Each structure stands twice: as C-alpha cells, then as structure tokens.
Amino acid sequence: MKTLVAKQLRGNERKWFVVDATGKNLRRLATQAARILTGRDSVDFTPQIHNGANLIIINAEKIAVTGTKESVKMYRSHSQYMGGLKETVLGKMRDKNPTHILRHAIEGMLPKNRLRNGMSLRLKLVVGSDHEFAAQKPESIIL
C-alpha cells in the first residue's frame, strides 16, 4: 500500500469563504474559523502542508460573548519597559479595535509552527457587511 500525500495548493486554487459574525459566540466561531484556515475540514488534510482556505469574516464588531466577559475579560500587552503593562477590557477593545477580539481568539487556536503566519494572512476581518473581496467569488457559509 502507498501513502498518499497532498500537494501544496497555489493561491488561485484555494477556496474563499464568507462568514457573518452577527450574534455568533466568539469561542465557537474562532474554533470553526481555525479549522477552515488550517484545512482540517478538508478530506486531504496533511499537517505539514499549507492547504487551508481563505476566510472573510464580516460584521466582526457584532460578535457575542457570554456571561460577564464584556467587563471582566482583559487583553494585556507589554512595552518591555518597567511598569509597561497595559490592560484593556473587552468592552473598550470592542470600541477601540473590534477586529482585534476575533483575530486574537482565532490566532490563538492556530498551530504554533512555520505555517502559522501564512494561515493568519489568509484571515480577512471586516467591520461592516461590505468587503472588497467580491472578485474572488467567495462562498457564503454558516458556522
């Protein structure tokens, strides 16, 4: 028996998908988006090959969270100087940079290897319902 290994897809062979994030749970949407970007939902998944699809998420500012996460969940960054820790609550981050919430959640679920950068480049987050990727003819899917 021979083991079949998938070949690397080129840019024009990749599929494009559109997902509407209105009212979707942050955690659920992030896990399903990570599966699409890594290619785990395809039949010919190979961990060392970069065969995931391109993903456009529209209405990224309308993502939903459960419980008291709106006022309790913190996003932390450090400037590498003494006392340089900056903390931002999810509610303020939604006003300041709404796509950061989804990007942070999805990129945290991607594999920590050399393919990660390419996967995160194929994720397009859009505030509002209009996007500039209509020429790629993306398929609308419900997650």
PDB file of all heavy atoms in Angstrom, residues 27-58:
ATOM      1  N   ARG A  27     -16.109  32.145  20.981  1.00  0.00           N
ATOM      2  CA  ARG A  27     -15.322  30.936  21.099  1.00  0.00           C
ATOM      3  C   ARG A  27     -15.656  29.930  19.999  1.00  0.00           C
ATOM      4  O   ARG A  27     -14.781  29.340  19.397  1.00  0.00           O
ATOM      5  CB  ARG A  27     -15.607  30.331  22.464  1.00  0.00           C
ATOM      6  CG  ARG A  27     -14.566  29.409  22.969  1.00  0.00           C
ATOM      7  CD  ARG A  27     -15.075  28.889  24.282  1.00  0.00           C
ATOM      8  NE  ARG A  27     -14.025  28.834  25.263  1.00  0.00           N
ATOM      9  CZ  ARG A  27     -14.226  28.399  26.482  1.00  0.00           C
ATOM     10  NH1 ARG A  27     -15.415  28.057  26.871  1.00  0.00           N
ATOM     11  NH2 ARG A  27     -13.229  28.335  27.327  1.00  0.00           N
ATOM     12  N   ARG A  28     -16.940  29.743  19.737  1.00  0.00           N
ATOM     13  CA  ARG A  28     -17.373  28.789  18.719  1.00  0.00           C
ATOM     14  C   ARG A  28     -16.916  29.211  17.327  1.00  0.00           C
ATOM     15  O   ARG A  28     -16.435  28.408  16.535  1.00  0.00           O
ATOM     16  CB  ARG A  28     -18.888  28.686  18.725  1.00  0.00           C
ATOM     17  CG  ARG A  28     -19.393  27.365  19.119  1.00  0.00           C
ATOM     18  CD  ARG A  28     -20.900  27.420  19.177  1.00  0.00           C
ATOM     19  NE  ARG A  28     -21.381  26.918  20.426  1.00  0.00           N
ATOM     20  CZ  ARG A  28     -21.619  25.635  20.642  1.00  0.00           C
ATOM     21  NH1 ARG A  28     -21.385  24.766  19.704  1.00  0.00           N
ATOM     22  NH2 ARG A  28     -22.058  25.231  21.795  1.00  0.00           N
ATOM     23  N   LEU A  29     -17.085  30.490  17.029  1.00  0.00           N
ATOM     24  CA  LEU A  29     -16.689  30.997  15.716  1.00  0.00           C
ATOM     25  C   LEU A  29     -15.175  30.899  15.534  1.00  0.00           C
ATOM     26  O   LEU A  29     -14.698  30.553  14.452  1.00  0.00           O
ATOM     27  CB  LEU A  29     -17.143  32.444  15.545  1.00  0.00           C
ATOM     28  CG  LEU A  29     -16.837  33.089  14.200  1.00  0.00           C
ATOM     29  CD1 LEU A  29     -17.600  32.384  13.095  1.00  0.00           C
ATOM     30  CD2 LEU A  29     -17.176  34.547  14.216  1.00  0.00           C
ATOM     31  N   ALA A  30     -14.416  31.162  16.590  1.00  0.00           N
ATOM     32  CA  ALA A  30     -12.957  31.105  16.495  1.00  0.00           C
ATOM     33  C   ALA A  30     -12.463  29.683  16.227  1.00  0.00           C
ATOM     34  O   ALA A  30     -11.556  29.479  15.417  1.00  0.00           O
ATOM     35  CB  ALA A  30     -12.326  31.654  17.766  1.00  0.00           C
ATOM     36  N   THR A  31     -13.051  28.687  16.879  1.00  0.00           N
ATOM     37  CA  THR A  31     -12.605  27.313  16.650  1.00  0.00           C
ATOM     38  C   THR A  31     -12.938  26.851  15.242  1.00  0.00           C
ATOM     39  O   THR A  31     -12.119  26.208  14.578  1.00  0.00           O
ATOM     40  CB  THR A  31     -13.245  26.341  17.654  1.00  0.00           C
ATOM     41  OG1 THR A  31     -14.660  26.475  17.604  1.00  0.00           O
ATOM     42  CG2 THR A  31     -12.769  26.605  19.050  1.00  0.00           C
ATOM     43  N   GLN A  32     -14.120  27.197  14.760  1.00  0.00           N
ATOM     44  CA  GLN A  32     -14.509  26.770  13.412  1.00  0.00           C
ATOM     45  C   GLN A  32     -13.703  27.513  12.350  1.00  0.00           C
ATOM     46  O   GLN A  32     -13.352  26.941  11.316  1.00  0.00           O
ATOM     47  CB  GLN A  32     -16.001  26.968  13.216  1.00  0.00           C
ATOM     48  CG  GLN A  32     -16.801  26.016  14.084  1.00  0.00           C
ATOM     49  CD  GLN A  32     -18.256  26.392  14.197  1.00  0.00           C
ATOM     50  OE1 GLN A  32     -18.641  27.509  13.869  1.00  0.00           O
ATOM     51  NE2 GLN A  32     -19.067  25.461  14.654  1.00  0.00           N
ATOM     52  N   ALA A  33     -13.377  28.771  12.608  1.00  0.00           N
ATOM     53  CA  ALA A  33     -12.544  29.529  11.670  1.00  0.00           C
ATOM     54  C   ALA A  33     -11.133  28.962  11.628  1.00  0.00           C
ATOM     55  O   ALA A  33     -10.526  28.868  10.547  1.00  0.00           O
ATOM     56  CB  ALA A  33     -12.517  31.001  12.065  1.00  0.00           C
ATOM     57  N   ALA A  34     -10.598  28.561  12.769  1.00  0.00           N
ATOM     58  CA  ALA A  34      -9.259  27.973  12.811  1.00  0.00           C
ATOM     59  C   ALA A  34      -9.217  26.647  12.056  1.00  0.00           C
ATOM     60  O   ALA A  34      -8.225  26.337  11.394  1.00  0.00           O
ATOM     61  CB  ALA A  34      -8.816  27.769  14.252  1.00  0.00           C
ATOM     62  N   ARG A  35     -10.289  25.880  12.116  1.00  0.00           N
ATOM     63  CA  ARG A  35     -10.353  24.616  11.371  1.00  0.00           C
ATOM     64  C   ARG A  35     -10.325  24.876   9.863  1.00  0.00           C
ATOM     65  O   ARG A  35      -9.681  24.142   9.108  1.00  0.00           O
ATOM     66  CB  ARG A  35     -11.610  23.837  11.729  1.00  0.00           C
ATOM     67  CG  ARG A  35     -11.554  23.179  13.080  1.00  0.00           C
ATOM     68  CD  ARG A  35     -12.776  22.327  13.332  1.00  0.00           C
ATOM     69  NE  ARG A  35     -12.862  21.191  12.432  1.00  0.00           N
ATOM     70  CZ  ARG A  35     -12.227  20.038  12.601  1.00  0.00           C
ATOM     71  NH1 ARG A  35     -11.433  19.889  13.644  1.00  0.00           N
ATOM     72  NH2 ARG A  35     -12.371  19.059  11.751  1.00  0.00           N
ATOM     73  N   ILE A  36     -11.012  25.913   9.412  1.00  0.00           N
ATOM     74  CA  ILE A  36     -11.029  26.229   7.983  1.00  0.00           C
ATOM     75  C   ILE A  36      -9.660  26.728   7.532  1.00  0.00           C
ATOM     76  O   ILE A  36      -9.155  26.348   6.473  1.00  0.00           O
ATOM     77  CB  ILE A  36     -12.120  27.274   7.680  1.00  0.00           C
ATOM     78  CG1 ILE A  36     -13.499  26.651   7.877  1.00  0.00           C
ATOM     79  CG2 ILE A  36     -11.984  27.828   6.268  1.00  0.00           C
ATOM     80  CD1 ILE A  36     -14.633  27.627   7.808  1.00  0.00           C
ATOM     81  N   LEU A  37      -9.020  27.579   8.322  1.00  0.00           N
ATOM     82  CA  LEU A  37      -7.717  28.131   7.947  1.00  0.00           C
ATOM     83  C   LEU A  37      -6.627  27.071   7.917  1.00  0.00           C
ATOM     84  O   LEU A  37      -5.725  27.114   7.074  1.00  0.00           O
ATOM     85  CB  LEU A  37      -7.327  29.246   8.919  1.00  0.00           C
ATOM     86  CG  LEU A  37      -8.135  30.538   8.812  1.00  0.00           C
ATOM     87  CD1 LEU A  37      -7.780  31.464   9.960  1.00  0.00           C
ATOM     88  CD2 LEU A  37      -7.905  31.211   7.488  1.00  0.00           C
ATOM     89  N   THR A  38      -6.674  26.106   8.838  1.00  0.00           N
ATOM     90  CA  THR A  38      -5.660  25.057   8.861  1.00  0.00           C
ATOM     91  C   THR A  38      -5.924  23.984   7.820  1.00  0.00           C
ATOM     92  O   THR A  38      -5.015  23.255   7.450  1.00  0.00           O
ATOM     93  CB  THR A  38      -5.592  24.381  10.237  1.00  0.00           C
ATOM     94  OG1 THR A  38      -6.886  23.909  10.583  1.00  0.00           O
ATOM     95  CG2 THR A  38      -5.084  25.326  11.290  1.00  0.00           C
ATOM     96  N   GLY A  39      -7.170  23.870   7.339  1.00  0.00           N
ATOM     97  CA  GLY A  39      -7.511  22.863   6.356  1.00  0.00           C
ATOM     98  C   GLY A  39      -7.979  21.561   6.969  1.00  0.00           C
ATOM     99  O   GLY A  39      -8.112  20.547   6.286  1.00  0.00           O
ATOM    100  N   ARG A  40      -8.246  21.558   8.272  1.00  0.00           N
ATOM    101  CA  ARG A  40      -8.677  20.331   8.946  1.00  0.00           C
ATOM    102  C   ARG A  40     -10.059  19.874   8.513  1.00  0.00           C
ATOM    103  O   ARG A  40     -10.418  18.725   8.733  1.00  0.00           O
ATOM    104  CB  ARG A  40      -8.664  20.522  10.452  1.00  0.00           C
ATOM    105  CG  ARG A  40      -7.286  20.545  11.026  1.00  0.00           C
ATOM    106  CD  ARG A  40      -7.331  20.625  12.541  1.00  0.00           C
ATOM    107  NE  ARG A  40      -6.001  20.639  13.081  1.00  0.00           N
ATOM    108  CZ  ARG A  40      -5.328  19.552  13.430  1.00  0.00           C
ATOM    109  NH1 ARG A  40      -5.893  18.380  13.300  1.00  0.00           N
ATOM    110  NH2 ARG A  40      -4.113  19.636  13.904  1.00  0.00           N
ATOM    111  N   ASP A  41     -10.824  20.736   7.897  1.00  0.00           N
ATOM    112  CA  ASP A  41     -12.154  20.345   7.450  1.00  0.00           C
ATOM    113  C   ASP A  41     -12.131  19.702   6.067  1.00  0.00           C
ATOM    114  O   ASP A  41     -13.157  19.234   5.587  1.00  0.00           O
ATOM    115  CB  ASP A  41     -13.085  21.552   7.442  1.00  0.00           C
ATOM    116  CG  ASP A  41     -12.611  22.638   6.503  1.00  0.00           C
ATOM    117  OD1 ASP A  41     -11.413  22.685   6.206  1.00  0.00           O
ATOM    118  OD2 ASP A  41     -13.449  23.445   6.078  1.00  0.00           O
ATOM    119  N   SER A  42     -10.976  19.649   5.406  1.00  0.00           N
ATOM    120  CA  SER A  42     -10.890  19.058   4.071  1.00  0.00           C
ATOM    121  C   SER A  42     -10.520  17.579   4.165  1.00  0.00           C
ATOM    122  O   SER A  42      -9.980  17.105   5.163  1.00  0.00           O
ATOM    123  CB  SER A  42      -9.862  19.803   3.220  1.00  0.00           C
ATOM    124  OG  SER A  42      -8.585  19.664   3.786  1.00  0.00           O
ATOM    125  N   VAL A  43     -10.801  16.845   3.108  1.00  0.00           N
ATOM    126  CA  VAL A  43     -10.572  15.406   3.087  1.00  0.00           C
ATOM    127  C   VAL A  43      -9.080  15.085   3.040  1.00  0.00           C
ATOM    128  O   VAL A  43      -8.623  14.126   3.656  1.00  0.00           O
ATOM    129  CB  VAL A  43     -11.288  14.785   1.861  1.00  0.00           C
ATOM    130  CG1 VAL A  43     -11.041  13.302   1.783  1.00  0.00           C
ATOM    131  CG2 VAL A  43     -12.754  15.077   1.928  1.00  0.00           C
ATOM    132  N   ASP A  44      -8.311  15.886   2.322  1.00  0.00           N
ATOM    133  CA  ASP A  44      -6.884  15.600   2.133  1.00  0.00           C
ATOM    134  C   ASP A  44      -6.010  16.396   3.098  1.00  0.00           C
ATOM    135  O   ASP A  44      -4.957  16.880   2.723  1.00  0.00           O
ATOM    136  CB  ASP A  44      -6.485  15.879   0.693  1.00  0.00           C
ATOM    137  CG  ASP A  44      -6.745  17.316   0.292  1.00  0.00           C
ATOM    138  OD1 ASP A  44      -7.466  18.000   1.028  1.00  0.00           O
ATOM    139  OD2 ASP A  44      -6.224  17.744  -0.746  1.00  0.00           O
ATOM    140  N   PHE A  45      -6.417  16.492   4.366  1.00  0.00           N
ATOM    141  CA  PHE A  45      -5.638  17.243   5.360  1.00  0.00           C
ATOM    142  C   PHE A  45      -4.305  16.563   5.611  1.00  0.00           C
ATOM    143  O   PHE A  45      -4.232  15.361   5.851  1.00  0.00           O
ATOM    144  CB  PHE A  45      -6.411  17.365   6.670  1.00  0.00           C
ATOM    145  CG  PHE A  45      -5.591  17.930   7.796  1.00  0.00           C
ATOM    146  CD1 PHE A  45      -5.198  19.245   7.777  1.00  0.00           C
ATOM    147  CD2 PHE A  45      -5.191  17.133   8.850  1.00  0.00           C
ATOM    148  CE1 PHE A  45      -4.436  19.776   8.800  1.00  0.00           C
ATOM    149  CE2 PHE A  45      -4.430  17.654   9.885  1.00  0.00           C
ATOM    150  CZ  PHE A  45      -4.048  18.979   9.857  1.00  0.00           C
ATOM    151  N   THR A  46      -3.247  17.348   5.526  1.00  0.00           N
ATOM    152  CA  THR A  46      -1.903  16.907   5.879  1.00  0.00           C
ATOM    153  C   THR A  46      -1.301  17.994   6.754  1.00  0.00           C
ATOM    154  O   THR A  46      -1.268  19.151   6.359  1.00  0.00           O
ATOM    155  CB  THR A  46      -1.045  16.714   4.611  1.00  0.00           C
ATOM    156  OG1 THR A  46      -1.768  15.894   3.691  1.00  0.00           O
ATOM    157  CG2 THR A  46       0.263  16.052   4.937  1.00  0.00           C
ATOM    158  N   PRO A  47      -0.827  17.649   7.964  1.00  0.00           N
ATOM    159  CA  PRO A  47      -0.416  18.705   8.901  1.00  0.00           C
ATOM    160  C   PRO A  47       0.745  19.573   8.428  1.00  0.00           C
ATOM    161  O   PRO A  47       0.809  20.740   8.778  1.00  0.00           O
ATOM    162  CB  PRO A  47      -0.036  17.942  10.172  1.00  0.00           C
ATOM    163  CG  PRO A  47      -0.171  16.517   9.887  1.00  0.00           C
ATOM    164  CD  PRO A  47      -0.762  16.334   8.537  1.00  0.00           C
ATOM    165  N   GLN A  48       1.659  19.016   7.617  1.00  0.00           N
ATOM    166  CA  GLN A  48       2.823  19.795   7.206  1.00  0.00           C
ATOM    167  C   GLN A  48       2.609  20.542   5.900  1.00  0.00           C
ATOM    168  O   GLN A  48       3.501  21.230   5.436  1.00  0.00           O
ATOM    169  CB  GLN A  48       4.062  18.898   7.102  1.00  0.00           C
ATOM    170  CG  GLN A  48       4.039  17.918   5.963  1.00  0.00           C
ATOM    171  CD  GLN A  48       3.417  16.587   6.331  1.00  0.00           C
ATOM    172  OE1 GLN A  48       2.726  16.475   7.325  1.00  0.00           O
ATOM    173  NE2 GLN A  48       3.651  15.576   5.515  1.00  0.00           N
ATOM    174  N   ILE A  49       1.418  20.431   5.302  1.00  0.00           N
ATOM    175  CA  ILE A  49       1.106  21.108   4.044  1.00  0.00           C
ATOM    176  C   ILE A  49       0.122  22.238   4.315  1.00  0.00           C
ATOM    177  O   ILE A  49      -0.788  22.117   5.109  1.00  0.00           O
ATOM    178  CB  ILE A  49       0.498  20.121   3.017  1.00  0.00           C
ATOM    179  CG1 ILE A  49       1.443  18.953   2.774  1.00  0.00           C
ATOM    180  CG2 ILE A  49       0.195  20.821   1.715  1.00  0.00           C
ATOM    181  CD1 ILE A  49       2.685  19.296   2.024  1.00  0.00           C
ATOM    182  N   HIS A  50       0.285  23.320   3.606  1.00  0.00           N
ATOM    183  CA  HIS A  50      -0.471  24.552   3.800  1.00  0.00           C
ATOM    184  C   HIS A  50      -1.675  24.571   2.864  1.00  0.00           C
ATOM    185  O   HIS A  50      -1.636  25.205   1.815  1.00  0.00           O
ATOM    186  CB  HIS A  50       0.500  25.690   3.462  1.00  0.00           C
ATOM    187  CG  HIS A  50       0.157  26.973   4.074  1.00  0.00           C
ATOM    188  ND1 HIS A  50      -0.484  27.961   3.382  1.00  0.00           N
ATOM    189  CD2 HIS A  50       0.358  27.462   5.311  1.00  0.00           C
ATOM    190  CE1 HIS A  50      -0.641  29.003   4.166  1.00  0.00           C
ATOM    191  NE2 HIS A  50      -0.136  28.720   5.336  1.00  0.00           N
ATOM    192  N   ASN A  51      -2.758  23.822   3.189  1.00  0.00           N
ATOM    193  CA  ASN A  51      -3.876  23.665   2.253  1.00  0.00           C
ATOM    194  C   ASN A  51      -5.203  24.179   2.782  1.00  0.00           C
ATOM    195  O   ASN A  51      -6.248  23.717   2.355  1.00  0.00           O
ATOM    196  CB  ASN A  51      -4.039  22.196   1.859  1.00  0.00           C
ATOM    197  CG  ASN A  51      -3.060  21.797   0.791  1.00  0.00           C
ATOM    198  OD1 ASN A  51      -2.456  22.646   0.164  1.00  0.00           O
ATOM    199  ND2 ASN A  51      -2.893  20.520   0.594  1.00  0.00           N
ATOM    200  N   GLY A  52      -5.216  25.140   3.668  1.00  0.00           N
ATOM    201  CA  GLY A  52      -6.471  25.704   4.152  1.00  0.00           C
ATOM    202  C   GLY A  52      -7.062  26.696   3.171  1.00  0.00           C
ATOM    203  O   GLY A  52      -6.447  27.067   2.173  1.00  0.00           O
ATOM    204  N   ALA A  53      -8.271  27.145   3.463  1.00  0.00           N
ATOM    205  CA  ALA A  53      -8.968  28.083   2.590  1.00  0.00           C
ATOM    206  C   ALA A  53      -8.773  29.518   3.088  1.00  0.00           C
ATOM    207  O   ALA A  53      -8.280  29.746   4.188  1.00  0.00           O
ATOM    208  CB  ALA A  53     -10.454  27.748   2.560  1.00  0.00           C
ATOM    209  N   ASN A  54      -9.168  30.482   2.253  1.00  0.00           N
ATOM    210  CA  ASN A  54      -9.193  31.883   2.659  1.00  0.00           C
ATOM    211  C   ASN A  54     -10.532  32.144   3.333  1.00  0.00           C
ATOM    212  O   ASN A  54     -11.561  31.641   2.890  1.00  0.00           O
ATOM    213  CB  ASN A  54      -9.039  32.789   1.446  1.00  0.00           C
ATOM    214  CG  ASN A  54      -7.687  32.634   0.806  1.00  0.00           C
ATOM    215  OD1 ASN A  54      -6.674  32.880   1.422  1.00  0.00           O
ATOM    216  ND2 ASN A  54      -7.662  32.208  -0.448  1.00  0.00           N
ATOM    217  N   LEU A  55     -10.531  32.949   4.378  1.00  0.00           N
ATOM    218  CA  LEU A  55     -11.742  33.179   5.149  1.00  0.00           C
ATOM    219  C   LEU A  55     -11.956  34.670   5.361  1.00  0.00           C
ATOM    220  O   LEU A  55     -11.055  35.379   5.801  1.00  0.00           O
ATOM    221  CB  LEU A  55     -11.642  32.469   6.504  1.00  0.00           C
ATOM    222  CG  LEU A  55     -12.856  32.520   7.400  1.00  0.00           C
ATOM    223  CD1 LEU A  55     -14.027  31.789   6.755  1.00  0.00           C
ATOM    224  CD2 LEU A  55     -12.550  31.913   8.740  1.00  0.00           C
ATOM    225  N   ILE A  56     -13.158  35.132   5.022  1.00  0.00           N
ATOM    226  CA  ILE A  56     -13.555  36.526   5.238  1.00  0.00           C
ATOM    227  C   ILE A  56     -14.647  36.513   6.298  1.00  0.00           C
ATOM    228  O   ILE A  56     -15.645  35.812   6.144  1.00  0.00           O
ATOM    229  CB  ILE A  56     -14.112  37.150   3.943  1.00  0.00           C
ATOM    230  CG1 ILE A  56     -13.109  37.007   2.802  1.00  0.00           C
ATOM    231  CG2 ILE A  56     -14.472  38.608   4.171  1.00  0.00           C
ATOM    232  CD1 ILE A  56     -13.728  37.217   1.443  1.00  0.00           C
ATOM    233  N   ILE A  57     -14.447  37.264   7.368  1.00  0.00           N
ATOM    234  CA  ILE A  57     -15.469  37.365   8.415  1.00  0.00           C
ATOM    235  C   ILE A  57     -15.987  38.795   8.406  1.00  0.00           C
ATOM    236  O   ILE A  57     -15.238  39.739   8.657  1.00  0.00           O
ATOM    237  CB  ILE A  57     -14.903  36.987   9.795  1.00  0.00           C
ATOM    238  CG1 ILE A  57     -14.414  35.541   9.766  1.00  0.00           C
ATOM    239  CG2 ILE A  57     -15.961  37.175  10.864  1.00  0.00           C
ATOM    240  CD1 ILE A  57     -13.824  35.059  11.057  1.00  0.00           C
ATOM    241  N   ILE A  58     -17.280  38.944   8.083  1.00  0.00           N
ATOM    242  CA  ILE A  58     -17.896  40.267   8.053  1.00  0.00           C
ATOM    243  C   ILE A  58     -18.640  40.521   9.356  1.00  0.00           C
ATOM    244  O   ILE A  58     -18.940  39.581  10.100  1.00  0.00           O
ATOM    245  CB  ILE A  58     -18.830  40.425   6.834  1.00  0.00           C
ATOM    246  CG1 ILE A  58     -19.932  39.378   6.843  1.00  0.00           C
ATOM    247  CG2 ILE A  58     -18.048  40.353   5.544  1.00  0.00           C
ATOM    248  CD1 ILE A  58     -20.961  39.556   5.746  1.00  0.00           C
TER     249      ILE A  58
END
